[in-house]
Amino acid sequence: MSEYRTNILIGSAVVLMSKTIAVWGSPRSGKTTFSVKLANAIYNRYKTNVVVLFTDITTPTMPVLFPSAKRDTLFSVGKVLTKTDITVDETIKNLVLIKKKANFGVLGYLCGENKFTYPRFDDVKARELFDVLKTLANFVIIDCMSNLDDSVLSTVAVGEADEVIRLASPDLSCLSWYLSQLPLVAGAERHIQGINVPDADICAPVSDVRSHLGEVSFTLPFSREVKQQFYEGKLFDVVSDKKYNTVIGAIADKVVV
Ligand SMILES: Nc1ncnc2c1ncn2[C@@H]1O[C@H](COP(=O)(O)OP(=O)(O)O)[C@@H](O)[C@H]1O
Ligand SMILES: [Mg+2]
């Protein structure tokens, strides 16, 4: 932990600007998987420090990412948000560090937690957390909930992040969700729209999705290896799938510059 703290603070002192990237989209479009893989790509390609914040309070993400971790090695972002003032020290204490990756930290909710576990907080507090995370890492990736009503963190991130990457899966329920929900979101025209294929058996033509969603910046293919990693709790490992890596690498390059 202390090694991480030192490195990360040195890192933030060297680089002047840090960037927040919100990942949002339809339910099960692959937002969480994408957030981890984008963080991996930025970390590996740019040798920089990253933090990923998982905002899901309905299906807490920590037990999904770290299924075999001992409870006392995981911490909750909920605890950080209960503080009157969010300090760098308190945030660092609750960062979960990724093994063998110096300067790569994640924050999220723990198994069993729900919206009643911690006191409610407002958008000011959410901004306070983002500001602290920006002092810790050059890239802060925020895995947002599809339903913004469920999450202040997601609402603020989608509204105010430097970049918003919006994921859609090529299926009819995703299209229906977008046609219903997108009109409710301000600033949607600045989002980077991408298609992600989270299942091998998805069969709606990508062209149909394109025609409804407008300009699509990338199509991230289905990868059996990524799926396997997800189910084994190994999403932070590297992927050897070339097609997948080429696309995620290009997205990393686009958001980093
Ligand atoms: N490009 C992909 N290739 C293979 N599986 C994927 C891909 N994107 C997502 N998945 C899988 O789809 C499922 C849903 O992904 P998840 O990231 O949990 O979605 P969300 O966070 O939007 O609910 C998971 O099993 C995940 O590993
Ligand atoms: Mg998710």
Side-chain angles (χ1 to χ4, degrees):
M1 178 92 64
S2 58
E3 185 194 345
Y4 184 73
R5 187 179 311 187
T6 317
N7 287 344
I8 213 157
L9 288 176
I10 289 169
S12 61
V14 172
V15 177
L16 297 174
M17 288 280 287
S18 92
K19 203 164 186 185
T20 48
I21 302 160
V23 176
W24 179 65
S26 55
R28 296 227 10 121
S29 56
K31 302 176 297 296
T32 299
T33 305
F34 180 89
S35 299
V36 173
K37 290 307 186 193
L38 178 65
N40 270 359
I42 293 175
Y43 180 85
N44 291 331
R45 291 165 86 87
Y46 292 91
K47 311 286 174 234
T48 184
N49 46 31
V50 294
V51 166
V52 190
L53 169 64
F54 300 97
T55 64
D56 202 323
I57 182 64
T58 306
T59 309
T61 311
M62 299 307 252
V64 179
L65 295 175
F66 310 106
S68 42
K70 293 207 179 76
R71 175 113 192 172
D72 62 359
T73 62
L74 300 178
F75 318 100
S76 177
V77 66
K79 215 175 137 209
V80 178
L81 287 158
T82 55
K83 302 288 169 190
T84 317
D85 293 308
I86 299 179
T87 62
V88 169
D89 270 0
E90 184 64 23
T91 309
I92 289 174
K93 254 195 263 169
N94 288 283
L95 271 180
V96 173
L97 309 181
I98 305 303
K99 266 189 208 144
K100 298 190 190 145
K101 290 184 197 275
N103 302 329
F104 194 134
V106 305
L107 271 175
Y109 288 98
L110 297 177
C111 186
E113 293 185 336
N114 59 43
K115 64 179 177 180
F116 298 116
T117 308
Y118 300 101
R120 285 160 75 110
F121 61 91
D122 60 10
D123 53 336
V124 175
K125 182 112 303 192
R127 272 181 213 110
E128 220 180 288
L129 176 64
F130 296 160
D131 286 344
V132 168
L133 294 180
K134 284 198 308 199
T135 69
L136 292 178
N138 296 323
F139 292 92
V140 178
I141 294 162
I142 305 153
D143 173 25
C144 297
M145 292 186 72
S146 295
N147 184 355
L148 296 180
D149 291 341
D150 286 342
S151 168
V152 177
L153 291 174
S154 303
T155 307
V156 174
V158 170
E160 300 174 18
D162 298 309
E163 305 277 6
V164 180
I165 300 179
R166 201 170 70 201
L167 290 188
S169 50
D171 60 86
L172 290 176
S173 63
C174 168
L175 266 186
S176 170
W177 185 87
Y178 265 109
L179 295 175
S180 164
Q181 298 303 308
L182 207 49
L184 306 177
V185 177
E189 64 289 343
R190 78 181 183 100
H191 297 174
I192 300 169
Q193 177 74 64
I195 293 176
N196 177 52
V197 187
D199 285 299
D201 52 0
I202 277 187
C203 58
V206 168
S207 57
D208 273 11
V209 181
R210 281 178 184 273
S211 68
H212 284 91
L213 295 181
E215 193 198 335
V216 172
S217 302
F218 62 85
T219 299
L220 190 58
F222 174 78
S223 162
R224 200 161 297 284
E225 190 186 350
V226 169
K227 190 75 148 187
Q228 187 72 22
Q229 286 185 338
F230 183 94
Y231 288 120
E232 290 178 353
K234 292 183 177 165
L235 221 42
F236 292 92
D237 288 2
V238 289
V239 190
S240 57
D241 187 321
K242 280 200 178 129
K243 278 188 190 160
Y244 188 91
N245 279 337
T246 303
V247 179
I248 201 86
I251 301 163
D253 292 347
K254 187 178 162 87
V255 292
V256 163
V257 292

